[in-house]
Amino acid sequence: MLQSRFLNRAGLRLAAATALGLAGVAAAAAETKWDMPTPYGDSNFHTQNIAAFAKDVTDKTDGSLTIQIHSAGSLFKHPEIKNAVRKGLAPIGEVLVSRLSNEDAVFGVDSVPFLAPSYDKSWKLYQASKPALEEKLAAQGLQLLYTVPWPPQGVYAKKEVTQGSDLKGLKFRAYNAATERLAQLAGAVPTQVEVPDIPTAFSTGRVEAMITSPSTGANSKAWDFLTHYHDTQAWLPKNMVIVNKGAFDSLSEAEQAAVLESAEIAEKRGWEASKVETTTKTKMLVDNGITVVQPSKQLIEDLAVIGETMSAEWQEQAGETGAAVLEAYKN
Ligand code: PCA
């Protein structure tokens, strides 16, 4: 059934269109355009996946719903995107899930070091945490459409890092609370820097090391400002595409179905693309002169100690909900 809000809107448009002549009626009454802020650049595989999602939505709705992507924080900066969608300033958007961990620890479960360091484990953890994630979002009038993980996270530096203490005193780029905490525990000095600002932050000396994916390293041309990548595979943080519930509910039933179907396809395509991305972007690092090293036993041990501390802290913060998520993950 059509919603009253939709009818009102359509009714108003019909009146306006009638004034313009009948030819305008169909087009004027049928079209909804959504602006979609995203944090990462056009060449990023997440953004490309979103472009394919948007195209699917257009195709499936015969153009009655179109999504205009505003990438690289051009419409809203990354830290503002969630609230923009919540307030309906943008109907739909993309966010790194763990960026919201300050609001609720459940959002940070995918950035606990070494808890789920492979695609299979990451998928299991996603399934285990999805109900809690959806519930927290719903409380804010937000609906989860899909998630896609980044490739596994490794350490970038201007030298080979053979043990945790090599990170001491380094100005360390962070992208969420977990990377900030990891830097602190390693004795480094964390600074939050969004992906589009990475090259400048390195070239001006604001930061000199970071932990992120081969994807973000390659897209930032890490070879211009550092030399070593350590493939530590610490965790796979996810991006999520969320929609304002009110905006979603005001779509026609057919449009809602088109969005949900396209989201399901995007999730599958994105998880596969992420795996491919791990290989191609690691190779790109090598091809451009970065030394890609398998982490030493000592480095892994030192990071594991940090991981244990962070895991205990996470469990403390996430309380009963967190315990239930871990329980579901382990079974
Ligand atoms: N890239 C994003 C999040 C994790 C990743 O691999 C970043 O570095 O901010």
Side-chain angles (χ1 to χ4, degrees):
M1 276 286 100
L2 288 175
Q3 317 261 330
S4 60
R5 209 168 140 187
F6 182 80
L7 277 176
N8 289 341
R9 197 179 56 185
L12 282 174
R13 284 185 179 169
L14 186 64
T18 309
L20 293 170
L22 274 179
V25 172
E31 281 166 24
T32 303
K33 184 178 153 245
W34 277 1
D35 286 303
M36 177 169 187
T38 79
Y40 308 102
D42 288 333
S43 63
N44 183 258
F45 79 100
H46 288 287
T47 316
Q48 288 167 352
N49 191 38
I50 288 170
F53 163 74
K55 183 175 183 308
D56 282 350
V57 169
T58 304
D59 291 349
K60 284 178 193 290
T61 62
D62 288 326
S64 77
L65 174 61
T66 54
I67 297 175
Q68 169 83 47
I69 301 162
H70 302 269
S71 62
S74 57
L75 185 60
F76 292 100
K77 299 270 171 230
H78 195 182
E80 296 157 10
I81 291 177
K82 194 271 290 176
N83 277 334
V85 179
R86 179 183 184 175
K87 291 181 192 152
L89 299 174
I92 186 169
E94 180 198 31
V95 195
L96 182 77
V97 182
S98 54
R99 251 211 154 270
L100 311 183
S101 66
N102 289 335
E103 284 180 20
D104 195 299
V106 159
F107 294 120
V109 70
D110 67 12
S111 301
V112 176
F114 305 112
L115 177 62
S118 69
Y119 282 97
D120 285 351
K121 287 179 180 160
S122 176
W123 177 259
K124 267 186 81 180
L125 182 62
Y126 172 38
Q127 297 312 311
S129 58
K130 199 174 175 184
L133 187 63
E134 287 179 324
E135 193 183 312
K136 299 289 173 193
L137 291 171
Q140 300 193 26
L142 296 167
Q143 184 176 330
L144 178 68
L145 287 183
Y146 68 88
T147 76
V148 172
W150 289 88
Q153 305 288 291
V155 176
Y156 289 84
K158 299 182 179 198
K159 61 182 180 191
E160 182 165 359
V161 174
T162 58
Q163 52 194 347
S165 59
D166 290 346
L167 297 171
K168 275 211 175 95
L170 293 185
K171 288 181 266 177
F172 200 91
R173 181 254 166 178
Y175 62 76
N176 63 6
T179 46
E180 197 169 319
R181 185 67 182 135
L182 180 137
Q184 272 172 358
L185 289 168
V189 187
T191 305
Q192 294 282 340
V193 177
E194 289 298 330
V195 168
D197 305 325
I198 289 177
T200 308
F202 273 91
S203 64
T204 57
R206 258 182 83 210
V207 295
E208 50 196 349
M210 63 180 171
I211 184 162
T212 185
S213 56
S215 181
T216 293
N219 285 346
S220 310
K221 297 194 164 52
W223 46 87
D224 285 347
F225 46 79
L226 49 78
T227 53
H228 286 74
Y229 174 66
H230 310 74
D231 187 17
T232 52
Q233 308 200 5
W235 66 87
L236 289 75
K238 294 188 296 295
N239 286 355
M240 62 181 171
V241 170
I242 49 175
V243 66
N244 177 288
K245 187 82 174 70
F248 183 81
D249 289 348
S250 68
L251 297 176
S252 71
E253 273 180 26
E255 287 168 336
Q256 291 183 2
V259 169
L260 295 180
E261 281 165 25
S262 304
E264 202 181 321
I265 295 167
E267 184 161 271
K268 283 207 186 80
R269 184 178 51 223
W271 280 72
E272 284 313 309
S274 182
K275 291 176 196 169
V276 174
E277 181 83 357
T278 305
T279 312
T280 55
K281 289 305 188 326
T282 304
K283 182 169 182 302
M284 192 183 281
L285 292 176
V286 174
D287 290 349
N288 284 280
I290 297 267
T291 307
V292 174
V293 286
Q294 287 313 308
S296 69
K297 207 167 151 262
Q298 188 62 53
L299 179 59
I300 287 293
E301 274 174 30
D302 294 346
L303 290 177
V305 170
I306 291 175
E308 276 160 29
T309 303
M310 289 178 63
S311 175
E313 289 174 353
W314 183 83
Q315 288 183 53
E316 165 106 30
Q317 287 159 10
E320 274 175 33
T321 313
V325 168
L326 288 186
E327 183 68 20
Y329 172 55
K330 280 169 186 155
N331 291 329

